[in-house]
Amino acid sequence: PAKAGIFYSLSTALSKGAALLFTPIYTRLIPPGEYALYSAYTAFMGVVGIFVSLQLSGSVIYSGLSEFSDKKGFVSSAAKLMTLSLVTVLLLSIIFRRVLVSLTTLPFRFVILLAFQVYLDGIRSLYLSESRHFYRYGYNLSEGIVFSLGVPMLSLIFIAVLDMRAEGRIFALFIVSLLFSIPSFKRIFSESHSFR
């Protein structure tokens, strides 16, 4: 636990340090009007997260991992519940498209992307929680490194080379989340073949 705690602290320090370093760069490269798009996107991530991820990662997962003997099946079932929730949110988003666009001030493609982003973050958080529970710090440290350096670097490429600006930050976060979540998907969903 002590060794894992050191690596978790390193991962958190990396994340905070990267945010401190790259935020001033973003604010200089992205005009305020466009930066508002990214701010609105990240602000609504918390709201959408309640409905898509169902707040299952963290204390809920830790409690379940402590209580149930079939730990892998429990995490797999939580991921399947999140998937069902994502499908429901996507269907409701299509039905109430105009209302959502006017409420969020986001183009509809970003509303849909937001739902998928929160889902990917939720799946990743499930696997991170499981890794922490078993003191497997390697995954957590690699996640910290990839997101602290990968997202900003890809964002800067999108902004500087493709002139995508706020959209570049959003797409960079989504692409890195998707690529990093693929191994988590494979591990979680291969654990159980049926809903529990």
Side-chain angles (χ1 to χ4, degrees):
K3 189 177 180 183
I6 291 167
F7 280 100
Y8 299 153
S9 299
L10 276 173
S11 179
T12 304
L14 258 174
S15 176
K16 301 293 183 192
L20 191 66
L21 177 69
F22 286 101
T23 300
I25 297 170
Y26 291 138
T27 54
R28 283 172 178 75
L29 291 175
I30 303 172
E34 289 188 42
Y35 200 83
L37 172 67
Y38 179 76
S39 297
Y41 183 85
T42 54
F44 282 105
M45 280 177 75
V47 177
V48 176
I50 295 167
F51 302 103
V52 174
S53 71
L54 304 171
Q55 304 295 305
L56 291 176
S57 60
S59 60
V60 173
I61 287 297
Y62 294 130
S63 298
L65 287 170
S66 299
E67 185 175 335
F68 297 106
S69 58
D70 184 7
K71 298 179 188 318
K72 294 177 190 253
F74 173 73
V75 173
S76 177
S77 296
K80 289 171 184 175
L81 182 59
M82 267 190 210
T83 305
L84 184 63
S85 181
L86 171 69
V87 171
T88 305
V89 167
L90 289 174
L91 289 173
L92 290 172
S93 297
I94 292 166
I95 294 168
F96 298 106
R97 175 180 181 157
R98 289 181 182 171
V99 176
L100 285 172
V101 168
S102 65
L103 281 175
T104 62
T105 68
L106 294 170
F108 186 65
R109 68 182 185 277
F110 288 118
V111 173
I112 296 298
L113 195 67
L114 182 60
F116 279 106
Q117 177 70 58
V118 170
Y119 175 71
L120 291 173
D121 291 346
I123 294 294
R124 202 173 74 246
S125 292
L126 283 179
Y127 194 75
L128 283 168
S129 296
E130 183 187 16
S131 296
R132 283 190 186 112
H133 181 78
F134 293 108
Y135 302 114
R136 293 191 307 252
Y137 51 83
Y139 182 82
N140 294 62
L141 184 61
S142 62
E143 191 259 358
I145 292 168
V146 168
F147 279 86
S148 297
L149 301 175
V151 173
M153 299 311 258
L154 189 57
S155 296
L156 291 175
I157 290 169
F158 280 144
I159 294 166
V161 177
L162 301 176
D163 197 34
M164 290 178 73
R165 302 190 183 182
E167 291 92 346
R169 279 203 77 187
I170 292 169
F171 287 132
L173 179 61
F174 180 78
I175 289 167
V176 173
S177 295
L178 179 63
L179 292 175
F180 198 83
S181 297
I182 288 171
S184 303
F185 275 108
K186 288 180 180 174
R187 290 181 189 125
I188 289 173
F189 286 105
S190 66
E191 304 296 350
S192 173
H193 298 291
S194 62
F195 282 89
R196 295 177 188 261

